[in-house]
Amino acid sequence: MNIEIRKATEKDFPAIYGLIRELAEFEKGLDKVSNTLEQMHEQKDCFECFVAETEDNEIVGMALYFFTYYTWVGKSFYLEDLYVKEAWRGKGLGTRLMDKMIEVAKAEKCKRFRLQVLHWNQAAINLYEKSGFTVDKTWYNCDIHDLHSFD
């Protein structure tokens, strides 16, 4: 089956949101998803996305990213999520999406490409290492999930 990797549009947001929820369930964190489809529409200028679409117009994968700035290196590319539906894994879609992300980062003259991966997701780690990433195990994530709690 022929799969097209293309830039997502707002009409794709429902399918992308479905993939986000699938990914959260896969990562055992569905209860932590507070994003909504409405919020995605409101904040559409904060992210970009490519999708993998079948000939039947089914979106079976995505790569959602944004640009950021790191003081040590400058403009950078951050891949928030790369996800392929389970039935479509092992067919090279993850590699094709990753190749597209690297192409975009290069075209945008980014100095760094960064992503995060769960320590137990060996299939993803293998893909990232195959794509040229170094997995650094020295940094911890530090988050505030409710900024309004400081009011």
Side-chain angles (χ1 to χ4, degrees):
M1 179 166 258
N2 191 23
I3 304 290
E4 178 186 6
I5 305 296
R6 66 166 176 82
K7 185 84 178 230
T9 66
E10 245 186 288
K11 73 177 180 64
D12 299 316
F13 283 10
I16 294 166
Y17 184 69
L19 292 174
I20 290 168
R21 293 186 58 82
E22 257 185 63
L23 171 61
E25 189 169 7
F26 171 77
E27 292 182 345
K28 301 164 186 62
L30 185 57
D31 60 321
K32 296 176 183 168
V33 175
S34 63
N35 197 4
T36 65
L37 187 54
E38 294 76 22
Q39 187 175 324
M40 286 179 68
H41 285 286
E42 291 168 7
Q43 298 173 348
K44 65 185 176 200
D45 295 333
C46 296
F47 66 92
E48 298 183 45
C49 187
F50 274 81
V51 294
E53 184 177 44
T54 69
E55 294 170 338
D56 300 327
N57 303 109
E58 179 188 2
I59 293 176
V60 297
M62 66 149 186
L64 192 145
Y65 63 95
F66 58 89
F67 297 99
T68 189
Y69 189 86
Y70 289 102
T71 57
W72 288 11
V73 296
K75 183 179 181 181
S76 298
F77 184 97
Y78 192 91
L79 180 59
E80 176 61 23
D81 285 319
L82 188 150
Y83 183 74
V84 175
K85 287 186 173 194
E86 186 173 3
W88 291 89
R89 293 181 196 150
K91 301 177 186 323
L93 291 181
T95 298
R96 288 183 59 202
L97 284 164
M98 181 57 73
D99 289 347
K100 177 57 80 174
M101 296 300 90
I102 291 169
E103 178 185 313
V104 171
K106 284 180 177 180
E108 289 288 330
K109 297 181 174 40
C110 293
K111 302 296 183 184
R112 176 185 284 165
F113 185 136
R114 179 164 276 179
L115 56 82
Q116 291 176 303
V117 62
L118 290 168
H119 65 91
W120 54 261
N121 192 346
Q122 195 58 51
I125 291 168
N126 293 344
L127 169 65
Y128 302 147
E129 288 178 336
K130 183 178 92 172
S131 297
F133 286 85
T134 301
V135 178
D136 180 349
K137 299 175 184 170
T138 59
W139 291 84
Y140 290 99
N141 292 319
C142 302
D143 299 313
I144 297 174
H145 291 283
D146 183 10
L147 289 172
H148 297 290
S149 66
F150 291 98
D151 293 340

